[in-house]
């Protein structure tokens, strides 16, 4: 049975402040409250400002560590996916704006930082991504009959939130979840890779769109993954919703948020 508002313990500031992506989102806005960030000609954050921001951000440390390990040079903001995701969400929420080659904190952004609690800030950030930011921008996917998989999953997201509410904090088998999703929405045409195999494609595409760059990033689910030294070889075995995630799913479903 779907959980209702009164059946969920309210989340607190400490819970959301422990989520790395939310920490970085607020750190980015706090940085802008002190000084503007310079943009390149292509609109990316300048490498100089990225260098100044690095100590403030948790989610990109693994990328920076890999660059140092292999003696790679950082060429662009585009190599730091979560930083771009933060910038896009903040822009979509009108918390920042562009002027003369810089990014600045808007009046709305200052109000967001000073007038809202961390829980309220977190909820607005996640709900904006779910319903206002096009997931295809961060997880490009195959097009079938004029619609990509990312676009389809985003339009059907309330189905998943309702399912997760019904399951509560129970563990869910990932492969079974993916196959059920494929069959329920008749997604077979999206997964026909003869080389990698349809199942591999199914698990990978749903992982990136719904989990790796979304629910896991926002602290809404916890996953158990296969043991491997290489991050790109890891596979989800099972997952379950967190208390934070359940509260967000409940808010989205019962307040009738719809992707527009």
């Amino acid at each position: 049975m779907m959980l209702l508002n009164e059946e969920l313990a309210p989340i607190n500031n400490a819970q959301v402040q422990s989520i790395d992506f939310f920490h970085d989102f607020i750190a980015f806005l706090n940085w802008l409250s002190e000084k503007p960030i310079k943009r390149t000609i292509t609109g990316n954050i300048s490498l100089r400002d990225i260098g100044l921001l690095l100590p403030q951000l948790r989610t990109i440390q693994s990328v920076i560590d890999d660059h140092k390990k292999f003696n790679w040079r950082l060429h662009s903001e585009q190599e730091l996916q979560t930083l771009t995701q933060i910038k896009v969400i903040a822009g979509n929420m009108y918390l920042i704006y562009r002027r003369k080659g810089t990014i600045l904190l808007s009046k709305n952004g200052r109000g967001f930082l000073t007038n809202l609690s961390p829980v309220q800030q977190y909820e607005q950030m996640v709900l904006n991504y779910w319903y206002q930011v096009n997931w295809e921008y961060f997880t490009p996917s195959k097009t079938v009959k004029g619609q990509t998989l990312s676009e389809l999953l985003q339009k059907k997201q309330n189905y998943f939130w309702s399912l997760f509410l019904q399951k509560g904090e129970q563990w869910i088998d990932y492969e079974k979840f993916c196959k059920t999703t494929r069959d329920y929405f008749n997604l077979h045409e999206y997964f026909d890779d003869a080389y990698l195999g349809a199942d591999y494609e199914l698990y990978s595409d749903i992982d990136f769109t719904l989990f790796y760059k979304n629910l896991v990033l926002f602290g809404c689910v916890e996953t158990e993954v296969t043991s491997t030294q290489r991050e790109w070889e890891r596979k989800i075995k099972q997952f379950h919703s967190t208390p934070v995630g359940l509260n967000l799913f409940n808010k989205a479903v019962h307040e009738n948020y719809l992707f527009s």
Side-chain angles (χ1 to χ4, degrees):
M1 187 173 182
M2 188 182 298
L3 297 172
L4 300 175
N5 289 309
E6 58 268 19
E7 296 175 330
L8 289 171
I11 57 178
N12 58 53
N13 292 337
Q15 286 173 292
V16 300
Q17 288 171 324
S18 69
I19 298 169
D20 287 347
F21 186 89
F22 177 67
H23 168 275
D24 289 2
F25 187 80
I26 297 300
F28 178 76
L29 296 178
N30 280 329
W31 182 273
L32 282 172
S33 71
E34 299 293 332
K35 59 182 74 68
I37 288 175
K38 292 184 178 179
R39 295 186 296 127
T40 65
I41 295 175
T42 58
N44 292 323
I45 297 172
S46 72
L47 289 177
R48 179 181 180 278
D49 280 312
I50 287 176
L52 294 173
L53 276 167
L54 287 181
Q56 315 296 321
L57 306 180
R58 298 174 182 171
T59 57
I60 62 176
Q61 290 308 312
S62 62
V63 179
I64 299 302
D65 289 344
D66 283 343
H67 276 67
K68 291 179 179 178
K69 179 180 178 180
F70 295 105
N71 199 28
W72 293 336
R73 179 185 175 189
L74 184 67
H75 296 94
S76 167
E77 172 205 322
Q78 297 301 313
E79 297 172 47
L80 305 173
Q81 177 258 320
T82 54
L83 179 56
T84 299
Q85 205 162 345
I86 286 168
K87 186 182 74 173
V88 168
I89 296 172
N92 200 63
M93 295 174 70
Y94 301 104
L95 305 180
I96 60 176
Y97 67 100
R98 300 174 181 180
R99 187 178 68 187
K100 296 181 179 179
T102 59
I103 300 172
L104 301 100
L105 189 69
S106 68
K107 183 178 180 180
N108 286 340
R110 294 188 185 279
F112 181 84
L113 287 175
T114 57
N115 298 331
L116 301 182
S117 70
V119 169
Q120 291 171 320
Q121 293 168 342
Y122 168 81
E123 289 176 343
Q124 288 193 18
M125 178 195 75
V126 176
L127 291 170
N128 181 272
Y129 181 77
W130 284 352
Y131 295 99
Q132 300 299 326
V133 175
N134 190 340
W135 295 359
E136 176 69 16
Y137 184 83
F138 295 103
T139 53
S141 53
K142 183 177 180 180
T143 300
V144 174
K145 297 176 182 177
Q147 182 168 241
T148 68
L149 178 66
S150 294
E151 291 168 339
L152 188 149
L153 293 177
Q154 184 166 18
K155 289 179 180 178
K156 303 296 184 182
Q157 62 183 284
N158 279 13
Y159 163 85
F160 300 112
W161 309 160
S162 297
L163 172 65
F164 298 159
L165 282 171
Q166 291 172 3
K167 294 292 185 180
E169 293 186 58
Q170 297 177 45
W171 285 97
I172 300 172
D173 182 85
Y174 181 68
E175 291 189 6
K176 183 177 180 181
F177 167 76
C178 289
K179 289 180 178 179
T180 300
T181 298
R182 177 197 61 196
D183 295 343
Y184 186 81
F185 292 114
N186 193 24
L187 306 180
H188 296 80
E189 290 182 87
Y190 286 97
F191 311 110
D192 57 4
D193 193 302
Y195 178 73
L196 292 174
D199 284 352
Y200 175 89
E201 197 177 15
L202 168 68
Y203 305 145
S204 176
D205 286 359
I206 291 181
D207 178 3
F208 271 81
T209 301
L210 200 56
F211 289 88
Y212 181 56
K213 296 186 179 181
N214 190 334
L215 298 178
V216 174
L217 197 62
F218 299 145
C220 293
V221 301
E222 292 179 348
T223 61
E224 180 186 347
V225 300
T226 54
S227 178
T228 174
Q229 292 183 332
R230 300 181 180 88
E231 184 178 352
W232 59 86
E233 290 182 353
R234 100 231 184 300
K235 297 178 182 177
I236 299 175
K237 292 195 292 186
Q238 57 180 352
F239 66 93
H240 73 88
S241 301
T242 65
V244 169
L246 289 172
N247 272 269
L248 260 293
F249 303 145
N250 194 66
K251 188 176 185 68
V253 170
H254 289 102
E255 295 189 12
N256 298 315
Y257 281 87
L258 295 172
F259 176 61
S260 59

